[in-house]
Amino acid sequence: QVQLVESGGGLVQPGGSLRLSCVASGSALSLYVLAWYRQAPGKQRELVASMSSWTTSNYTDSVKGRFTISRDNAKSTVYLQMNSLKPEDTAVYYCYARRLMSATTYWGQGTQVTVSS
């Protein structure tokens, strides 16, 4: 099994930046498809960004040009760099992992991101 632990959330003003980190333990990160999801109060969970082991990334339209997903296999960490933050980015952000050739998925506990002046 693998355990995912997110960090880096907090309160930031509009236009500011945050970098979220997700540390995975228990398995080699290179064997997993990785993603970041978010869920705002009263809203449906949405996929924000994803990255596969073959270094292919994808973003939802609302964050394109502002967010960047990356991974460091040596540190067993996936990142979400968030720039030019907007109030509508306010949500709990969750780290997600799925092992290649497997239907088993893993989720972190979530980290709160609040964008407000």
Side-chain angles (χ1 to χ4, degrees), residues 35-81:
W36 287 94
Y37 286 78
R38 69 184 180 187
Q39 187 167 21
K43 303 285 187 177
Q44 186 177 5
R45 183 188 65 184
E46 68 171 339
L47 175 63
V48 177
S50 63
M51 189 175 194
S52 69
S53 61
W54 56 88
T55 317
T56 300
S57 61
N58 193 33
Y59 302 89
T60 191
D61 288 343
S62 63
V63 307
K64 287 181 178 178
R66 300 189 298 119
F67 290 11
T68 303
I69 186 172
S70 62
R71 63 200 292 169
D72 187 332
N73 290 337
K75 296 181 178 180
S76 297
T77 303
V78 60
Y79 304 95
L80 184 67
Q81 178 66 47

Side-chain angles (χ1 to χ4, degrees), residues 36-48 62 86-94 110-115:
W36 287 94
Y37 286 78
R38 69 184 180 187
Q39 187 167 21
K43 303 285 187 177
Q44 186 177 5
R45 183 188 65 184
E46 68 171 339
L47 175 63
V48 177
S62 63
K86 305 174 180 179
E88 50 263 44
D89 295 318
T90 297
V92 177
Y93 285 71
Y94 297 92
T111 185
Q112 176 71 49
V113 172
T114 302
V115 185

Side-chain angles (χ1 to χ4, degrees), residues 3-11 17-24 35-37 68 70 75-82 85 91-96 107-114:
Q3 181 178 351
L4 306 177
V5 180
E6 303 102 329
S7 64
L11 175 64
S17 298
L18 286 174
R19 188 178 72 161
L20 305 183
S21 299
C22 175
V23 178
W36 287 94
Y37 286 78
T68 303
S70 62
K75 296 181 178 180
S76 297
T77 303
V78 60
Y79 304 95
L80 184 67
Q81 178 66 47
M82 304 184 294
L85 284 163
V92 177
Y93 285 71
Y94 297 92
C95 184
Y96 163 97
W107 294 89
Q109 82 287 350
T111 185
Q112 176 71 49
V113 172
T114 302

Side-chain angles (χ1 to χ4, degrees), residues 2 4 29 32-35 95-99 104-107:
V2 61
L4 306 177
L29 195 63
Y32 288 81
V33 175
L34 304 171
C95 184
Y96 163 97
R98 178 179 64 80
R99 198 177 194 277
T104 304
T105 60
Y106 302 90
W107 294 89

